[in-house]
Amino acid sequence: MCFFRWHLARGHLQHRVTASTGLGGDVKKDWSDHALWWEKKKTWLLKTHWTLDKYGIQADAKLQFTPQHKLLRLQLPNMKYVKVKVNFSDRVFKAVSDICKTFNIRHPEELSLLRKPRDPSKKKKKKLDDQYEDEALELEGPLITPGSGTDILYIGPVKGNIYSSPGLYSKTMTPTYDSHDGSPLSPTSAWFGDSALSEGNPGILAVSQPVTSPESLAKMYKPQALLDKAKINQGWLDSSRSLMEQEVKENEALLLRFKYYSFFDLNPKYDAIRINQLYEQSKWAILLEEIECTEEEMMMFAALQYHINKLSIMSSENHLNNSDKEVDEVDAALSDLEITLEGGKTSTILGDITSIPELADYIKVFKPKKLTLKGYKPYWCTFKDTSISCYKSKEESNGTPAHQMNLRGCEVTPDVNISGQKFNIKLLIPVAEGMNEIWLRCDNERQYANWMAACRLASKGKTMADSSYSLEVQNILSFLKMQHLNPDPQLIPEQITTDINPECLVSPRYLKKYKNKQVGPGYVRDLITARILEAHQNVAQMSLIEAKMRFIQAWQSLPEFGITHFIARFQGGKKEELIGIAYNRLIRMDASTGDAVKTWRFSNMKQWNVNWEIKMVTVEFADDVRVSFICTEVDCKVVHEFIGGYIFLSTRAKDQNESLDEEMFYKLTSGWV
């Protein structure tokens, strides 16, 4: 047993510990990972140079002497669980950085920890059900810490005899992965070094985990409405406080997720694990209907999933057969440097920088109003800088436009149906009294891609002279191409239909839609399989990494992507509404329909603050615009952190080193530092 003696030495708190063996001698034991926890005040006593008076400790205070590193059950974005040891005394931001460093995930500032959402339809869910769900998703091939004899992965710098994993993270920009299939370039032992992952299955975090059965998909919680999605965001932990301060218990299950939808410098050569986990999070967002998509888009996502699952199996087999191949990483790095120094296709990207490109074409324009019977009306439209001018005809384009709209700060939403040849662009343009809604209808894919790309750039205050314009056009065309169907049965081999499970590739809503056609289950399965295989022809030539990147890009192209919802009551408002936070804007939304009522860009923001007494968030923009709201279902600190977090992420640049300015993050997000 252990005996503890506390005394006041020169006004400071110190301790001595001896362990009695009962054999007449004392045995030294390392207690360096232990610290004092003050349960009543929810605080760690880590500043040993502080006096008792400075901490406010009285004679009746109960202090707990406990390890700082404790076990946590962490659910990764691929829905698999792994047991980790995390520092419960570190701020969550630092703890997540340590986790990501060990997992070889760059840019940990994009991720955070989330409490598991509860399904409101199962208020009295049995404990056995939770255990069954967790066991069913347990990570295969346990990650074993060398010398521990357990399946625990210890994370972070731990002093003493507790094993400390050095992690996989390297600040050198030497390629670590094959940019074609995401496999390690060097032998496994060199890739993972002495990391804990080298004892288990080293590539498991970079390998896609397919959905095992329709039953497992059906049991998972799916938000039914926007309000349900908003309630999920109640669970985000405060990044400025430790796990213990937020009442996280040892062995509790938390979710590791990409919190901020601003993914910086995704590079297949260094980010195979990061890309795969991001792909997994986007895949589950589609399957669990956390984000809406059309039927054509769903079949495209299903085809990409099928392709990725198939290539993942092939890649794993090839990697096992060629695990000893050597790669000269110095030559690879020099080659990359040479390409970078040469500048690639800079001349074609820059083009003629002496003039700003313009668009001019006949576009159908529609301004929807209640009880209107008027449809689209063709106009000769010119797109200059960030404005669209509409004329009744091309001949009148030198005169005064019939309509003119500046798209800076507007909301741009696609409304596309490939089979119906519908290529619409919905614009919500901010005006003093709210939002003006304008719809543009294009005649074909090329016209749509050109105008859609221009609208997206204009909404950010950029013109078509920006170097990203041509890339945006190509991404839109590629996204449309993947949705094309090729209904030629000769191109679909019958033998490959046996290795596809359509119920695991599409969301339950679309399964239900097909089942409502009152046909046999076998026919429904064959029908969905045929649709998926038709869509697969558009992606069949992609490499594994390319397919994952395409999936992520397609996810980013969805209208609802990147918006985190919170239930709020605006100052002066009488009913609950939604506040949506994206990487570059705040959106006031209708709680029942999800329609944007008003949008404010962060680029126009002057400051934001919180009245902690009444829990009100106030954001001030240019032109003396002030927005104030109270969050009704979540602590306003969570919303404050989202705003500050996106501002912090916007300051990142490729020419800076990979170290994070933690203090700057806390200043922007904590509200009281």
Side-chain angles (χ1 to χ4, degrees), residues 127-138:
K127 190 175 181 180
L128 290 175
D129 292 339
D130 287 334
Q131 292 176 351
Y132 170 79
E133 180 183 0
D134 292 348
E135 290 170 1
L137 296 173
E138 197 69 45

PDB file of all heavy atoms in Angstrom, residues 127-138:
ATOM      1  N   LYS A 127     -27.880  -0.673 -21.655  1.00  0.00           N
ATOM      2  CA  LYS A 127     -26.421  -0.649 -21.648  1.00  0.00           C
ATOM      3  C   LYS A 127     -25.848  -1.758 -22.518  1.00  0.00           C
ATOM      4  O   LYS A 127     -24.827  -1.604 -23.166  1.00  0.00           O
ATOM      5  CB  LYS A 127     -25.919  -0.794 -20.213  1.00  0.00           C
ATOM      6  CG  LYS A 127     -24.422  -0.554 -20.059  1.00  0.00           C
ATOM      7  CD  LYS A 127     -24.020  -0.595 -18.601  1.00  0.00           C
ATOM      8  CE  LYS A 127     -22.526  -0.324 -18.466  1.00  0.00           C
ATOM      9  NZ  LYS A 127     -22.100  -0.365 -17.042  1.00  0.00           N
ATOM     10  N   LEU A 128     -26.544  -2.884 -22.558  1.00  0.00           N
ATOM     11  CA  LEU A 128     -26.073  -4.003 -23.373  1.00  0.00           C
ATOM     12  C   LEU A 128     -26.062  -3.639 -24.849  1.00  0.00           C
ATOM     13  O   LEU A 128     -25.199  -4.073 -25.601  1.00  0.00           O
ATOM     14  CB  LEU A 128     -26.958  -5.237 -23.143  1.00  0.00           C
ATOM     15  CG  LEU A 128     -26.828  -5.903 -21.770  1.00  0.00           C
ATOM     16  CD1 LEU A 128     -27.841  -7.035 -21.639  1.00  0.00           C
ATOM     17  CD2 LEU A 128     -25.413  -6.453 -21.569  1.00  0.00           C
ATOM     18  N   ASP A 129     -27.025  -2.823 -25.260  1.00  0.00           N
ATOM     19  CA  ASP A 129     -27.071  -2.397 -26.654  1.00  0.00           C
ATOM     20  C   ASP A 129     -25.854  -1.549 -26.995  1.00  0.00           C
ATOM     21  O   ASP A 129     -25.263  -1.677 -28.061  1.00  0.00           O
ATOM     22  CB  ASP A 129     -28.354  -1.598 -26.935  1.00  0.00           C
ATOM     23  CG  ASP A 129     -29.586  -2.492 -26.860  1.00  0.00           C
ATOM     24  OD1 ASP A 129     -29.425  -3.714 -26.986  1.00  0.00           O
ATOM     25  OD2 ASP A 129     -30.686  -1.947 -26.673  1.00  0.00           O
ATOM     26  N   ASP A 130     -25.466  -0.652 -26.064  1.00  0.00           N
ATOM     27  CA  ASP A 130     -24.279   0.167 -26.275  1.00  0.00           C
ATOM     28  C   ASP A 130     -23.040  -0.696 -26.398  1.00  0.00           C
ATOM     29  O   ASP A 130     -22.190  -0.474 -27.254  1.00  0.00           O
ATOM     30  CB  ASP A 130     -24.107   1.160 -25.123  1.00  0.00           C
ATOM     31  CG  ASP A 130     -25.126   2.284 -25.183  1.00  0.00           C
ATOM     32  OD1 ASP A 130     -25.589   2.574 -26.301  1.00  0.00           O
ATOM     33  OD2 ASP A 130     -25.461   2.844 -24.130  1.00  0.00           O
ATOM     34  N   GLN A 131     -22.943  -1.699 -25.524  1.00  0.00           N
ATOM     35  CA  GLN A 131     -21.776  -2.579 -25.567  1.00  0.00           C
ATOM     36  C   GLN A 131     -21.737  -3.355 -26.873  1.00  0.00           C
ATOM     37  O   GLN A 131     -20.681  -3.522 -27.483  1.00  0.00           O
ATOM     38  CB  GLN A 131     -21.804  -3.544 -24.377  1.00  0.00           C
ATOM     39  CG  GLN A 131     -21.584  -2.847 -23.035  1.00  0.00           C
ATOM     40  CD  GLN A 131     -21.712  -3.819 -21.874  1.00  0.00           C
ATOM     41  OE1 GLN A 131     -22.116  -4.961 -22.039  1.00  0.00           O
ATOM     42  NE2 GLN A 131     -21.364  -3.351 -20.688  1.00  0.00           N
ATOM     43  N   TYR A 132     -22.894  -3.813 -27.330  1.00  0.00           N
ATOM     44  CA  TYR A 132     -22.941  -4.570 -28.581  1.00  0.00           C
ATOM     45  C   TYR A 132     -22.506  -3.701 -29.752  1.00  0.00           C
ATOM     46  O   TYR A 132     -21.725  -4.111 -30.599  1.00  0.00           O
ATOM     47  CB  TYR A 132     -24.353  -5.092 -28.828  1.00  0.00           C
ATOM     48  CG  TYR A 132     -24.534  -5.681 -30.213  1.00  0.00           C
ATOM     49  CD1 TYR A 132     -24.074  -6.966 -30.500  1.00  0.00           C
ATOM     50  CD2 TYR A 132     -25.138  -4.941 -31.231  1.00  0.00           C
ATOM     51  CE1 TYR A 132     -24.219  -7.498 -31.771  1.00  0.00           C
ATOM     52  CE2 TYR A 132     -25.286  -5.467 -32.496  1.00  0.00           C
ATOM     53  CZ  TYR A 132     -24.830  -6.751 -32.754  1.00  0.00           C
ATOM     54  OH  TYR A 132     -24.974  -7.270 -34.009  1.00  0.00           O
ATOM     55  N   GLU A 133     -22.993  -2.427 -29.737  1.00  0.00           N
ATOM     56  CA  GLU A 133     -22.643  -1.522 -30.829  1.00  0.00           C
ATOM     57  C   GLU A 133     -21.143  -1.261 -30.852  1.00  0.00           C
ATOM     58  O   GLU A 133     -20.509  -1.270 -31.899  1.00  0.00           O
ATOM     59  CB  GLU A 133     -23.406  -0.207 -30.654  1.00  0.00           C
ATOM     60  CG  GLU A 133     -23.110   0.818 -31.736  1.00  0.00           C
ATOM     61  CD  GLU A 133     -23.826   2.126 -31.499  1.00  0.00           C
ATOM     62  OE1 GLU A 133     -24.544   2.223 -30.497  1.00  0.00           O
ATOM     63  OE2 GLU A 133     -23.646   3.046 -32.306  1.00  0.00           O
ATOM     64  N   ASP A 134     -20.561  -1.026 -29.675  1.00  0.00           N
ATOM     65  CA  ASP A 134     -19.137  -0.739 -29.604  1.00  0.00           C
ATOM     66  C   ASP A 134     -18.313  -1.938 -30.033  1.00  0.00           C
ATOM     67  O   ASP A 134     -17.346  -1.815 -30.766  1.00  0.00           O
ATOM     68  CB  ASP A 134     -18.753  -0.335 -28.174  1.00  0.00           C
ATOM     69  CG  ASP A 134     -19.364   1.009 -27.798  1.00  0.00           C
ATOM     70  OD1 ASP A 134     -19.865   1.680 -28.709  1.00  0.00           O
ATOM     71  OD2 ASP A 134     -19.339   1.357 -26.615  1.00  0.00           O
ATOM     72  N   GLU A 135     -18.689  -3.137 -29.554  1.00  0.00           N
ATOM     73  CA  GLU A 135     -17.922  -4.327 -29.895  1.00  0.00           C
ATOM     74  C   GLU A 135     -18.002  -4.618 -31.388  1.00  0.00           C
ATOM     75  O   GLU A 135     -17.038  -5.056 -31.999  1.00  0.00           O
ATOM     76  CB  GLU A 135     -18.430  -5.518 -29.094  1.00  0.00           C
ATOM     77  CG  GLU A 135     -18.104  -5.431 -27.603  1.00  0.00           C
ATOM     78  CD  GLU A 135     -18.804  -6.491 -26.791  1.00  0.00           C
ATOM     79  OE1 GLU A 135     -19.537  -7.312 -27.381  1.00  0.00           O
ATOM     80  OE2 GLU A 135     -18.631  -6.504 -25.569  1.00  0.00           O
ATOM     81  N   ALA A 136     -19.154  -4.340 -31.971  1.00  0.00           N
ATOM     82  CA  ALA A 136     -19.326  -4.617 -33.400  1.00  0.00           C
ATOM     83  C   ALA A 136     -18.431  -3.731 -34.246  1.00  0.00           C
ATOM     84  O   ALA A 136     -18.086  -4.085 -35.364  1.00  0.00           O
ATOM     85  CB  ALA A 136     -20.785  -4.415 -33.794  1.00  0.00           C
ATOM     86  N   LEU A 137     -18.040  -2.579 -33.705  1.00  0.00           N
ATOM     87  CA  LEU A 137     -17.237  -1.641 -34.472  1.00  0.00           C
ATOM     88  C   LEU A 137     -15.792  -1.587 -34.004  1.00  0.00           C
ATOM     89  O   LEU A 137     -15.048  -0.706 -34.369  1.00  0.00           O
ATOM     90  CB  LEU A 137     -17.844  -0.233 -34.372  1.00  0.00           C
ATOM     91  CG  LEU A 137     -19.236  -0.087 -34.973  1.00  0.00           C
ATOM     92  CD1 LEU A 137     -19.798   1.281 -34.667  1.00  0.00           C
ATOM     93  CD2 LEU A 137     -19.207  -0.320 -36.469  1.00  0.00           C
ATOM     94  N   GLU A 138     -15.394  -2.525 -33.127  1.00  0.00           N
ATOM     95  CA  GLU A 138     -14.032  -2.498 -32.599  1.00  0.00           C
ATOM     96  C   GLU A 138     -13.014  -2.630 -33.715  1.00  0.00           C
ATOM     97  O   GLU A 138     -13.199  -3.402 -34.655  1.00  0.00           O
ATOM     98  CB  GLU A 138     -13.846  -3.641 -31.594  1.00  0.00           C
ATOM     99  CG  GLU A 138     -12.638  -3.463 -30.702  1.00  0.00           C
ATOM    100  CD  GLU A 138     -12.823  -2.319 -29.723  1.00  0.00           C
ATOM    101  OE1 GLU A 138     -13.900  -2.218 -29.119  1.00  0.00           O
ATOM    102  OE2 GLU A 138     -11.891  -1.535 -29.592  1.00  0.00           O
TER     103      GLU A 138
END
